[in-house]
Amino acid sequence: MKTIWIKNADVVTLNERGDVLHRSDIIIAEGRILSVGDTPTALGADETIEAADHVVLPGFFNAHTHAAMTFERGWADDLPFDRWLNDRIWVAESALTKEDVRWGTYLAAAEMIHSGTVGFADHYFHMDEVAEVVEESGLRATLAWCVFGMGEETEIGEGLEETARFVQRWQGAANGRIRTVLGPHSPYACPAAFLETVAAKAADLGVGIHIHLAEFSDQLESSLAKHGITPVKFLEQRGILDRPTIAAHCIYITPEDIDILQAKGVNVVQCPNCHMKLGMGVTPVPELLRRGVNVALGTDGPASNNDLDMLQEAQLATLMQKNHHLDPAVLPAELTLRLATQNGASAMGFADSGVIAPGRPADLIIFDFNKAHLRPRHSVLSNIVYSAKSTDISHVIVDGRVLLRDGELTTLDEERILYEAERRAFRLVKQDMRLLRAYDLD
């Protein structure tokens, strides 16, 4: 691996003290940060990045998404959730092929790298194709093949057994950049016995679980009516939460649920853009954090967001909570950045990332602060959270490898990706319209 010398940068370390260093150097070697601070002038580096008037930050970890849903971006907007999901999204997904998922993920990877994401937790289908894109792109990822357990006709793939084989094929691949977990869809879509089987399989494989949880009020009401307990308690009783768990959304939860999430070490993911766009509600982030629950941020899929911009998620996360609680002091800038970086890294199993310090993985992003909207620099942290745009990101480095250099992708052919994605998306639109007419859903 190359040695990289980042010179004269302001550095947001996000270490325990919250140090922000000025005009500092960072040396990267063998995929890790070798030093932060003054550097001997005689050092020989394979690549030097002059970063005066730039800010270095730990890279973003998108802790819940469905990457290949880039193909459904803008396809089902402004609809009630049940029509959005049942009449449009699941119809569209029924037409996806393995190659569609591959190119949809390529498009997502390009978008994520441009906007400073260094790792993502994907929950979708045809995950071997997704893993191959991750390997090529240089990103980190925690991958879950979504399964339902309601019969072969409901699965895209062979179900849980194929998922188990996928887990074993890809665990630790790409020099440890790929991690795998099991991906049951949710407590409302998966039968109770199937969830118990998933929990047992996860224990056998020694892996975690990525699942949707408590997204809408009617899911809470249905669980109480049918089972007499909340969705969180239902998953606890099925053994799901005994495994390291990424639980997306967790909006409609009770104080007892928070006790369970804290006791079980569940990682909760708030997706503020999606939550607002679909009218879902607000994850009780301050309450969860006060109880010691690890809270991360995610974009959800591009069909419900409609992008994969983690900087925007961080900005919306803090603004949503301030407005909801009528308190401008809630979720301040530095804490918000921790949710978007190190908390997401921890949730995804990359716990040593998310901090700029010697010995830590070199998963970094660089902002060009030589912009009108980023001056003056009273607070670098505030400027990033409240003023910066993802287009201000000039460099992205993952595992010591430059994936974005001066705004240009280095590992992916962006021109071809844009062409293939557009071509395939419009083929799918035509096919979806035929299906909609057949189902009398248009």
Side-chain angles (χ1 to χ4, degrees), residues 405-418:
R405 180 182 290 112
D406 292 320
E408 299 292 329
L409 298 178
T410 65
T411 59
L412 298 176
D413 184 344
E414 188 165 12
E415 183 177 359
R416 187 184 177 197
I417 289 169
L418 296 178

Side-chain angles (χ1 to χ4, degrees), residues 156-230:
I156 299 179
E158 298 176 14
L160 186 58
E161 288 310 311
E162 183 172 2
T163 292
R165 292 191 292 271
F166 162 76
V167 163
Q168 293 168 318
R169 278 194 300 274
W170 286 99
Q171 186 69 275
N175 195 34
R177 289 187 290 105
I178 295 176
R179 298 179 59 82
T180 53
V181 296
L182 297 184
H185 184 273
S186 61
Y188 61 84
C190 299
F194 179 71
L195 290 170
E196 293 171 0
T197 300
V198 169
K201 179 64 73 173
D204 290 342
L205 295 170
V207 300
I209 290 169
H210 186 168
I211 193 168
H212 302 87
L213 179 59
E215 300 166 79
F216 287 91
S217 59
D218 59 353
Q219 294 166 6
L220 172 60
E221 294 163 3
S222 175
S223 183
L224 290 172
K226 185 176 181 180
H227 306 293
I229 52 177
T230 67

Side-chain angles (χ1 to χ4, degrees), residues 380-439:
V380 170
L381 289 166
S382 289
N383 280 9
I384 291 173
V385 174
Y386 300 117
S387 304
K389 319 294 181 188
S390 60
T391 51
D392 299 327
I393 296 170
S394 62
H395 291 72
V396 174
I397 300 171
V398 179
D399 197 30
R401 183 183 183 188
V402 178
L403 308 189
L404 186 76
R405 180 182 290 112
D406 292 320
E408 299 292 329
L409 298 178
T410 65
T411 59
L412 298 176
D413 184 344
E414 188 165 12
E415 183 177 359
R416 187 184 177 197
I417 289 169
L418 296 178
Y419 168 79
E420 286 287 347
E422 193 84 341
R423 182 177 70 85
R424 289 175 177 274
F426 277 97
R427 174 186 61 78
L428 286 168
V429 165
K430 292 178 181 178
Q431 188 165 343
D432 293 345
M433 291 304 296
R434 288 196 297 271
L435 289 171
L436 287 169
R437 284 192 292 270
Y439 297 155

Side-chain angles (χ1 to χ4, degrees), residues 170-313:
W170 286 99
Q171 186 69 275
N175 195 34
R177 289 187 290 105
I178 295 176
R179 298 179 59 82
T180 53
V181 296
L182 297 184
H185 184 273
S186 61
Y188 61 84
C190 299
F194 179 71
L195 290 170
E196 293 171 0
T197 300
V198 169
K201 179 64 73 173
D204 290 342
L205 295 170
V207 300
I209 290 169
H210 186 168
I211 193 168
H212 302 87
L213 179 59
E215 300 166 79
F216 287 91
S217 59
D218 59 353
Q219 294 166 6
L220 172 60
E221 294 163 3
S222 175
S223 183
L224 290 172
K226 185 176 181 180
H227 306 293
I229 52 177
T230 67
V232 172
K233 186 69 176 178
F234 183 74
L235 288 187
E236 181 194 31
Q237 291 185 357
R238 308 281 82 74
I240 290 289
L241 304 186
D242 291 334
R243 304 304 306 160
T245 301
I246 297 173
H249 309 303
C250 292
I251 297 170
Y252 294 93
I253 54 177
T254 67
E256 181 186 3
D257 289 338
I258 295 177
D259 291 340
I260 294 170
L261 296 171
Q262 187 276 330
K264 295 294 185 178
V266 173
N267 302 284
V268 170
V269 185
Q270 182 195 25
C271 305
N273 199 340
C274 168
H275 293 175
M276 288 189 287
K277 185 167 181 284
L278 292 180
M280 296 168 69
V282 181
T283 301
V285 171
E287 294 84 347
L288 288 161
L289 292 173
R290 280 196 294 270
R291 290 301 315 278
V293 176
N294 184 59
V295 179
L297 300 181
T299 61
D300 213 315
S304 60
N305 188 305
N306 292 23
D307 60 39
L308 296 166
D309 188 335
M310 279 294 293
L311 177 60
Q312 183 183 69
E313 294 301 322

